[in-house]
Amino acid sequence: MRSYQPDLTPPWKKSAPVPEVPADLDLVVEEVGTGFCGAVVGCEAGTVTLEDRFGKHRVFPLEPRGFLLEGRPVTLVRPPSGPARPTRTASGSIAVPEARARVARAGRIYVEGRHDAELVERVWGDDLRVEGVVVEYLEGVDDLPAVVRDFGPGPDARLGVLVDHLVPGSKESRIAASVTDAHTLVVGHPYIDVWEAVKPASVGIPAWPTVPRGQDWKKGVCRALGWPDNTGAAWQHILSKVTSYKDLEPALLGRVEELIDFVTAP
């Protein structure tokens, strides 16, 4: 008969149990052996695939205590069968499952046109609903001072404005500079049109074409890329390629985040 062998390992040398965490899509963890940090983009039997902020993928085994979650060791396990629920929104924020939309704030974010509004909704829509922020569009920036004056911003009704092609010496920069209201923040990106704020690689092109001055920029882009001369259809194609903040240029990402912070500040 086999005799009982007591465990004589001192308590301070024993490994404390760690929680098991489902490897849900978009969960951000660090692999302990390599220090590789990324979001979960796939989980098969026995392995998990992570994607870092540069888009690089690496596959790791699902080993006990193999990952750090917010600095603490965990054991990743394959999620239960069925569609995994994303843990982050398209903007990269922590998702709030089944969150109800907040009653709209008095403050607003204005963008120049419909395409700008659709792109902001595509990436930041979940965040904006949780915060109760409404996005409206101006159909151009020429009347911005009058729009600000009519809106009447205040401490409890801040106004944020996103302007296209906000570069030194441009018409847009002069108009933006004329808005001095303390409860209004006007920021912008350097692109002629918000189309350019989508990374070319996400659309499947090497770069956005250079359109000669004086030509309609959107139509010039369609011609240069060999797309049908239908800017509405072209935009829907571009928008369909945007699935998260990773598909957008930093020059736009930072400005939209800045506006959301400004409008929602206490």
Side-chain angles (χ1 to χ4, degrees), residues 22-103:
D24 289 326
L25 294 178
D26 294 330
L27 179 72
V28 177
V29 294
E30 178 183 340
E31 201 275 328
V32 296
T34 62
F36 186 89
C37 183
V40 174
V41 294
C43 188
E44 304 295 335
T47 65
V48 63
T49 303
L50 304 182
E51 179 185 67
D52 70 7
R53 62 193 182 95
F54 302 108
K56 183 179 180 181
H57 287 200
R58 289 191 63 175
V59 179
F60 298 100
L62 292 173
E63 295 181 342
R65 306 175 65 93
F67 299 87
L68 299 179
L69 176 61
E70 297 181 349
R72 297 184 178 184
V74 297
T75 297
L76 287 188
V77 295
R78 191 176 183 184
S81 58
R85 175 178 292 170
T87 59
R88 292 183 178 270
T89 67
S91 72
S93 301
I94 301 296
V96 183
E98 300 177 7
R100 298 180 66 180
R102 177 174 175 169
V103 175

Side-chain angles (χ1 to χ4, degrees), residues 190-256:
Y191 309 113
I192 294 174
D193 190 274
V194 78
W195 288 21
E196 280 192 295
V198 180
K199 291 181 178 178
S202 297
V203 185
I205 59 177
W208 288 106
T210 299
V211 177
R213 202 179 189 91
Q215 290 188 20
D216 183 283
W217 188 84
K218 293 176 182 176
K219 291 183 178 180
V221 166
C222 290
R223 284 193 293 270
L225 294 176
W227 294 352
D229 192 13
N230 183 332
T231 58
W235 169 244
Q236 291 307 313
H237 169 71
I238 296 167
L239 188 62
S240 71
K241 302 300 182 181
V242 177
T243 59
S244 79
Y245 72 97
K246 298 176 184 179
D247 296 307
L248 302 183
E249 299 287 1
L252 175 67
L253 292 173
R255 302 296 75 73
V256 176

Side-chain angles (χ1 to χ4, degrees), residues 154-167:
D156 298 321
R158 294 185 174 194
L159 179 61
V161 183
L162 180 69
V163 176
D164 297 344
H165 198 228
L166 192 60
V167 296

Side-chain angles (χ1 to χ4, degrees), residues 103-126:
V103 175
R105 296 174 182 265
R108 291 286 188 275
I109 291 177
Y110 281 178
V111 297
E112 281 206 48
R114 182 170 60 85
H115 292 181
D116 306 69
E118 290 176 344
L119 188 60
V120 169
E121 164 61 28
R122 184 87 168 188
V123 175
W124 289 274
D126 290 339

